Amino acid sequence: MDDFSQTLLAAAQARRAQSIAFLGRLIAAQRSGEAAVQQCFADHLAEAGCQVESLHYAPAKVQMQHEFATGDLAATEERCSLIARLPGEGAGRSLIFFGHPDGEPVKNVERWKHDPFAATLSEGRIYGWGVADDLAGIAIMAEAIQSIVASGLRPLGDVLAASTPSKRHARGVAAVLQHGHTGDAAIYLHPAESGLGMQEIKAICGGQLHLRLTVSGQGPDTQEPGHTAFSHLAVSALDKAMVLKAALDDLGNSRAARVRHAGIESVVGRATNILVAHMTCGDSLRFTRVPTRCTMGVSISFPPGESMESVQQEIMDCLASCEQQDVWLRDHPPVIEWLAGVTGAELPAESPLFDAVSAAVTQVTGLTPFVNAMHTSSDIRVPMVQKGIPTVGLGPLCGDLSQNGSHDEWVDVEDYLRAIAVAADSALRWCGAVRV
């Protein structure tokens, strides 16, 4: 282990109790909401000597490139990102740590075996609402800076720790970047949902689109309350929706054969998919009525390198072809609503940032990390797509995420502590370091 890594690891280990306690304070603050979590973060980094700035912004006014969200999927209320800066001592490269303080709405806590806000330690895990999504990430960046300060080392370039709202397209990190808080690289700190911890590094992020199709039909010309005997005289919206679904399925298979990405295909066998995930039509209590309206929820995954706009055009062309081939759809085309979309991004495994983070993981854990390609819509895309900043993501072992409908969300304590050392080591490898 090189000298700087050994010094940082010793400093991180010496702060073991403080690091666990700080994560516990964040979990407890979650009971009072996002503002309380942010205040805890700001106070902690101010104590470390960082310059802490608050950025209040309206998500809808953050101008995004190759990304959009509409309706209920877009955040509307004013939000606040926090930026803590540890100034560099020279002319080194700068680095942005970022994570999100906002969790899922608190509900169904009666299912928990542990108090969701007590930060219970049990069998090597710390439990708490949002601890894996993403309070541990917030704690890791703050404690990484605390460890750097405690070690007597300083980065040559600035290290920024940004606590940035993310869920429901809150756009916190994009707001930070657009207001001039930038860097030569970024690391997204978030526990690993895959169960592999820091053995994986997030460096590939697929793009994704959400749309809704509303298909109309026509009931039979009768005043009878039951339509079954007359149904051959009607146009079922469900039948027409199935025509559209079949066309989308065919397009999905066609795209999978020609749109390629070796990293994604090595994991799941194909680089792109079209999923009809939801369909609503008819009356669930009246089986004798012809459905005259059907709504379909559709998502499309696509690899980095393919533009969101070109994928949208393919979907539009597919639906237009259906309309021309079907007499009813030609005169009654479906209503198409594009609800949300993000473009994918990736960082080559041979990049200097990947080298720095990978070396830090190996020094601290003894593991040789690999790229996990299956993080569709991951926030690692934001610095890359919006500002061209190389970005990776990593984090400790976690499980039972509330956002997946589970309960007793947890993070592995020892892996959390190792992640602090890895983050600190990564920062000084990237920025350069000097003893003070």
Side-chain angles (χ1 to χ4, degrees), residues 280-358:
T280 302
C281 64
D283 187 331
S284 62
L285 298 178
R286 303 181 71 184
F287 293 174
T288 63
R289 303 289 290 185
V290 171
T292 58
R293 176 186 172 92
C294 188
T295 301
M296 303 166 58
V298 184
S299 63
I300 305 101
S301 65
F302 56 97
E306 188 176 28
S307 77
M308 181 179 70
E309 294 79 8
S310 68
V311 178
Q312 286 179 284
Q313 190 59 56
E314 275 204 64
I315 298 295
M316 298 290 285
D317 291 345
C318 172
L319 297 174
S321 177
C322 272
E323 294 164 15
Q324 291 305 309
Q325 296 176 41
D326 186 282
V327 174
W328 175 262
L329 291 174
R330 190 181 310 149
D331 294 330
H332 305 84
V335 176
I336 304 170
E337 300 171 85
W338 292 101
L339 303 178
V342 298
T343 297
E346 66 181 312
L347 184 75
E350 62 272 16
S351 71
L353 176 62
F354 190 92
D355 284 347
V357 176
S358 179

Side-chain angles (χ1 to χ4, degrees), residues 9 48 248 333:
L9 184 57
L248 290 172

Side-chain angles (χ1 to χ4, degrees), residues 124-136:
R125 297 173 175 179
I126 185 167
Y127 293 87
W129 192 276
V131 65
D133 185 32
D134 176 31
L135 296 184

Side-chain angles (χ1 to χ4, degrees), residues 12 67 135 372:
E67 180 171 334
L135 296 184
N372 187 321

